[in-house]
Structure formats: C-alpha cells, structure tokens
Amino acid sequence: MRRVAAVLVRQSTAGAVPEGVDPREFLEAVAEDAYEVVAGLDLVTPVLVTSVPGLDELVWPGTEVIEVGEDEPLAGIAARLDGDQAVVMAADAPDLPPLLIGKLFRELGRAQVSVCPAEGGGAVAMAFGLPMPAWAASGLDEPDPVTALRAQAPGRRMVATVPGWHRLRAAGDLARLDPGLEGWDNTRALLSEAGLTAR
C-alpha cells in the first residue's frame, strides 16, 4: 500500500500575510511547515504540488514536486498523484496536527473519500483512493465539500469526516495559531521576527 500526502501550495497560500512581512517569505514559511507535517509521517510519501515556482528547496531531497496551474481543480491534481491512497492538504494550515492526516487515511478503510473540513468553508485536507472515484471529482472544490460529495456519492457511507481545523486565509486568522502547539516553526519564527507573536 503506497500512501501519498501532497501539500498544495498556491499563490493564495500567502493570503494571511500580515502588514510588514514579505509575502514570499510568508508563503515559504507556511508551505515549509505544512510540508513538515506530512514529511514526518511514517509510511507516507510526501509530495509538493505547487503553482508557485522555486519551492524545490523547501522539501527533502528526492521529494517529488508537481507543478500545476494556479486554478487547477483538485480532481486534476489527484490524477497526477501516483499511489494507492492520497491525502491532499492545503499549505495554509501550517499547524495542522499530523494525527488528523492519519485519521483521514484510516477513514478510507470504510469510505471512499474522507474530509477534514475547514472553519469558514472548504477543506483543510481530503483523502481518497487512487484513482479517485469519478463521482467525487466535481465536489472537491465546493465551498461545502462534505455536503456536495455526499449528494453525489453512490452510497450514504462513502464520505467520511474527521475533526475540522483552521486555515490561514486572512491576516486575522493568525490569531488561531497556538504558541503552545508543537510545529509551525518557520511561521512562528517569521512572525516573531516581525514582533507579531511570541516564540
């Protein structure tokens, strides 16, 4: 069983950049932290999927980097992943507990798609078998993907959820970062240097 965890980086990943911080530095810090979430998982192959050029240095040697268009739908991204099961995680969740990625994979034992919903709509991460079920393709990018996917699924138990999490989509979302939570070291250091949060 080959499990792949892909971190998806788009230009919008820097949406929460606070005033006085370089947007590129912020994007790189957040993306590297998100990559570290999946790279540290056992029995999972990390992949970086990005529409932002020049991020190869953020990942471990040998990590596959897949370049996509800024508006590439998730179904198209899924089609480019190689394995038996995959998680696609938004890079603007640098403090996502790795346990939630594990839960997404575990739910695939009984469902065809599993979702970690995002506060404020959308998803933080989704998991599915590869190739991805055709019925799921158009529901992945919906504002409420759980409802959309369940409406399209051929059976009631085809779509599972795990506890939700937050994404950094606007500067106000930075307040959701918990200094007591392990991880997100690069984002933490960058914000600390800007005088925006304690280490």
Side-chain angles (χ1 to χ4, degrees):
M1 170 79 69
R2 184 172 190 261
R3 288 176 164 170
V4 173
V7 175
L8 176 57
V9 185
R10 304 189 196 266
Q11 294 290 349
S12 59
T13 298
V17 61
E19 188 174 346
V21 174
D22 181 82
R24 174 72 186 205
E25 288 186 21
F26 182 80
L27 183 145
E28 290 183 358
V30 169
E32 186 170 0
D33 285 338
Y35 171 79
E36 293 291 341
V37 170
V38 301
L41 294 170
D42 292 333
L43 307 176
V44 173
T45 301
V47 175
L48 185 71
V49 179
T50 179
S51 65
V52 181
L55 298 184
D56 303 57
E57 293 183 3
L58 300 184
V59 300
W60 296 357
T63 298
E64 182 180 11
V65 177
I66 300 173
E67 296 184 0
V68 296
E70 179 67 16
D71 298 318
E72 180 85 19
L74 285 173
I77 290 168
R80 299 179 64 177
L81 300 176
D82 181 27
D84 301 300
Q85 294 180 340
V87 161
V88 177
M89 170 189 169
D92 56 9
D95 60 338
L96 182 70
L99 179 65
L100 289 178
I101 300 290
K103 286 180 179 290
L104 286 168
F105 278 123
R106 191 159 53 247
E107 288 295 337
L108 294 182
R110 65 179 184 87
Q112 291 188 11
V113 178
S114 57
V115 182
C116 174
E119 295 175 11
V124 177
M126 297 184 185
F128 37 80
L130 294 173
M132 190 189 68
W135 58 263
S138 63
L140 298 177
D141 297 291
E142 292 294 322
D144 183 354
V146 174
T147 298
L149 287 165
R150 285 181 172 160
Q152 295 163 194
R156 287 178 45 214
R157 299 174 186 267
M158 297 284 186
V159 181
T161 59
V162 303
W165 198 250
H166 49 263
R167 292 173 58 180
L168 305 182
R169 294 189 266 209
D173 295 332
L174 296 173
R176 302 303 312 273
L177 294 169
D178 181 355
L181 198 63
E182 287 187 9
W184 63 281
D185 295 343
N186 297 287
T187 307
R188 189 192 310 259
L190 183 64
L191 294 177
S192 181
E193 288 170 12
L196 296 169
T197 186
R199 284 188 188 271

